[in-house]
Every structure is written in structure tokens, then in C-alpha cells.
Amino acid sequence: MKRFRNGEIWGLEAQAPTGPADGVVLGVDGGTTSTVCVCLPAAGPLPDPLPILSRAVGGCSNHNSVGENAARETLEEVMAQALSKACYSRKAVRAVCLAVSGVNHPTDQQRILDWLRDIFPNSVKFYVENDAVAALASGTMGKLHGCVLIAGTGTIAYGFTEDGKEARAAGAGPVLGDWGSGYGIAAQALTAVIRAHDGRGPQTKLTKSILDMLELPSPDELIGWTYADPSWARIAALVPIVVSTAEDGDEVANRILYDSVQELADSIIAVVRRLRLCGEDGKEAFPLVMVGGVLEANKRWDIGKEVVNCVSKIFPGALPIRPKLEPAVGAALVAWNRSMRELNDVREGDSPQISVLQ
């Protein structure tokens, strides 16, 4: 375990106490827009409301968006800040769940695991997942069962069965078509403005709305604005303008949103079918966790509600959940649940008389 990494990230750690014998767990929700880490006590059972010891926030930690080094530095900074705010050192950590967008393959998981082992004591348990896992867990109190739809800067649908099978749809990034995401909606709006300006597409109120917001004199200036900094979150920030323009009756903006609703619903439907979360008859109940700024209701447009309506026509057992907990807490609950389960498995093996925490 290194005391210093990336400059002085852990520089104040020597002043922090080791912490109680029961220790703490860390949950990290790493997204394209921001990264959040929360610290929970490792001892159980956890009371309601959950005793969140600290919370830290950083920038983007998707390595596909900002690069490997910047993503790791952000993740390490928020973990160090969360422990510092809780007045604990790394020696107090019992388990860490990193749920990070851009973790799409076992090789992604392994790279992060190798890096984590270089930072924390050997005794710490690590769980590296896609950020969709944290979002699902935030709606199911850490239980990985059901389907989650994330629609923020990016989008992904992810599902788990109770016996551990998993499946995903979308989430491959904007180049491979994350339509329905904030980036996808905004990119289509920008394209519609350029098409209208060229005479290749219908005129749209999006032209004036977007140019006014960006303080640009003409659609020609959009090209320079877009490529000056094509970061996903910067483009996705235009979504509220698209929604307000749709609510103002613009046909082009409304078509973009209706198409996005169908794309998001199709992602959920694909996951549910692959995992048979709906049962053999297609009517079995399952949790459908809905997370992300794109799904929040506006004056007249409610993308999340429209998505649920589409899905419910095919799977009437879908039970929509808007989590009250943030995804980082969901990640911490995954770390807590899995570490407690592993601990109890060990205890059962050593002493069958010890009762198991549920």
C-alpha cells in the first residue's frame, strides 16, 4: 500500500485515526459528468436512515471520456476525501465498490482491481462494476435483482437475475449510438439545426433556442463551438433547451424526444427478454429502477413516464422505482452486502453455530 500517490492525495492520512475494528466501506459512483464517493460503517445491521459518515464529489471518471490517468486520479481523490472527512485512514477500509461508467469488459475490471490493490491494504475486498450496478442497487437497497435504466449524459440498461445472471443493452458510447442519452438527444438537436440551415431538413425553433443559449450569431458558428470541446457532458447540457422547445410545440424537437423514448424503452425490453425477468408468461413482476436527469419530469414532457408506458405495454409486471438514495450509496450497499455475505460464509465454515445476518 502506497502512502502517497498522484502528489499529495493521501498527504493528510497520517493525521487520521485507523478507525474502529469494524471499519468502514466505500461506495463510488463514477460517471461521465461527476463522481461521488460515500463512506458507511462496515458493522451491521445498518439502521434506517443509513448512517452516511461522509460524502465527496469529483469530476468525470469515465476513462473513455477523459483518459485512464485522469479517471484514476478522480477516483482516488474522492475516496481520499471521503475518508478524510470521516476521519479515517485506509487501514479502516473493509470493502470498496467502484461502480464506474466505461467498465464494459473484464479487462476494464482487472485494470482497476490491480490499481486498487496498489492503494489499499491487502485485506480490503474490492468489487468493480459498471455504474449501472450502483444505480440498480440504489433502488433495491443493495439487492441486485431487476433492471435499471440510466439516462443521463450517457445511457445504459442493465439487469440481474436473482441467481446472478446479468445482461446489458446500449451503453457503448456516443460513437456507437447511445441514442436516448443526454448526449444523443443534444447531438440530434445540433444536427437538426445544421440540416435546417443547409436546407436539408425542416425549419425548427431549435435554431433560435440553441443559438440564443450559446450566444452565437449563426448556425455556422455551431461547428466551431461543437469541436472546440466535444466533451460528452458539455453537449448533453443542451437537453433542457431541446425539452423546452418541444414543450413550445416544435415538431422537430418533439420527434427527437419521441424517438429517444423508444430507444430507451427498447434497451429495457432487450434486457428483460434476455434475462426473462418477466417470467415465462411475460407478466411476472420485477423492479425497474429509473435513474438520470433525462428521465426527470418537466412542464409537459416526462421522458421517464413515457418510457415506462412503452415498457408496461409489453411487460405489465414492471414496477417502476425512482430511488430515494443516490447511486453512490447503492454502491456502498453492494460493498456492504457482499463483504458481509463473504464474512458469514467464512464464519459458517469455521463455526456452524454462528447465526447469519440477513
Side-chain angles (χ1 to χ4, degrees):
M1 180 180 74
K2 294 184 178 179
R3 180 166 297 280
F4 298 100
R5 183 183 172 92
N6 292 337
E8 297 298 315
I9 288 178
W10 300 100
L12 298 176
E13 186 179 47
Q15 303 173 21
T18 300
D22 290 327
V24 296
V25 299
L26 297 178
V28 179
D29 170 44
T32 304
T33 303
S34 63
T35 300
V36 180
C37 178
V38 299
C39 180
L40 293 180
L46 294 174
D48 185 16
L50 291 171
I52 298 174
L53 302 175
S54 63
R55 181 179 185 271
V57 182
C60 174
S61 57
N62 184 323
H63 67 94
N64 292 322
S65 180
V66 296
E68 193 84 20
N69 290 336
R72 288 183 178 182
E73 184 165 344
T74 296
L75 291 168
E76 193 166 350
E77 283 177 346
V78 294
M79 290 189 290
Q81 289 171 16
L83 284 173
S84 176
K85 288 181 178 180
C87 298
Y88 293 130
S89 72
R90 285 173 285 176
K91 293 179 181 178
V93 178
R94 300 293 173 261
V96 178
C97 176
L98 253 61
V100 186
S101 65
V103 174
N104 301 314
H105 191 272
T107 56
D108 297 326
Q109 292 176 309
Q110 192 58 54
R111 283 200 309 273
I112 295 176
L113 283 170
D114 292 342
W115 162 69
L116 284 171
R117 292 188 181 109
D118 191 38
I119 297 172
F120 288 95
N122 294 334
S123 59
V124 179
K125 303 292 185 182
F126 301 117
Y127 312 100
V128 178
E129 304 285 356
N130 185 276
D131 63 333
V133 172
L136 175 61
S138 70
T140 59
M141 289 300 292
K143 183 179 180 182
L144 296 183
H145 171 245
C147 182
V148 61
L149 174 68
I150 298 178
T153 299
T155 184
I156 188 171
Y158 216 106
F160 281 86
T161 62
E162 291 187 293
D163 60 357
K165 295 185 180 68
E166 57 187 274
R168 58 175 285 172
V175 174
L176 297 177
D178 266 359
W179 307 125
S181 69
Y183 182 97
I185 291 170
Q188 289 180 79
L190 290 170
T191 301
V193 171
I194 296 297
R195 286 174 59 84
H197 181 61
D198 290 346
R200 294 180 292 126
Q203 293 301 306
T204 169
K205 294 178 183 178
L206 286 168
T207 300
K208 184 177 188 309
S209 298
I210 291 176
L211 292 180
D212 285 352
M213 178 187 179
L214 301 179
E215 299 181 345
L216 297 176
S218 76
D220 290 325
E221 302 296 323
L222 274 179
I223 299 172
W225 178 88
T226 299
Y227 294 108
D229 177 11
S231 65
W232 303 348
R234 178 171 175 262
I235 302 297
L238 297 174
V239 168
I241 292 296
V242 182
V243 174
S244 63
T245 305
E247 291 180 335
D248 196 33
D250 185 74
E251 184 176 341
V252 173
N254 273 288
R255 175 47 53 196
I256 290 171
L257 296 186
Y258 279 120
D259 289 347
S260 298
V261 165
Q262 191 60 58
E263 289 284 349
L264 295 172
D266 286 346
S267 295
I268 296 170
I269 291 165
V271 168
V272 173
R273 280 179 172 157
R274 284 164 62 187
L275 295 178
R276 297 188 177 180
L277 292 172
C278 55
E280 295 298 328
D281 62 357
K283 299 180 180 179
E284 191 170 311
F286 63 90
L288 175 56
V289 180
M290 308 283 284
V291 176
V294 169
L295 303 176
E296 295 175 0
N298 293 277
K299 292 179 182 177
R300 291 188 294 274
W301 251 105
D302 188 337
I303 294 177
K305 182 179 178 180
E306 295 297 330
V307 170
V308 170
N309 289 341
C310 286
V311 172
S312 296
K313 290 176 183 177
I314 299 175
F315 303 126
L319 303 174
I321 298 172
R322 297 295 184 109
K324 295 180 180 179
L325 303 176
E326 65 177 332
V329 178
L333 289 172
V334 170
W336 189 90
N337 284 339
R338 287 182 174 176
S339 62
M340 291 299 293
R341 188 181 306 122
E342 291 177 13
L343 176 62
N344 289 323
D345 288 345
V346 170
R347 286 175 175 174
E348 280 189 316
D350 293 341
S351 176
Q353 288 76 34
I354 296 178
S355 61
V356 180
L357 292 174
Q358 298 299 320

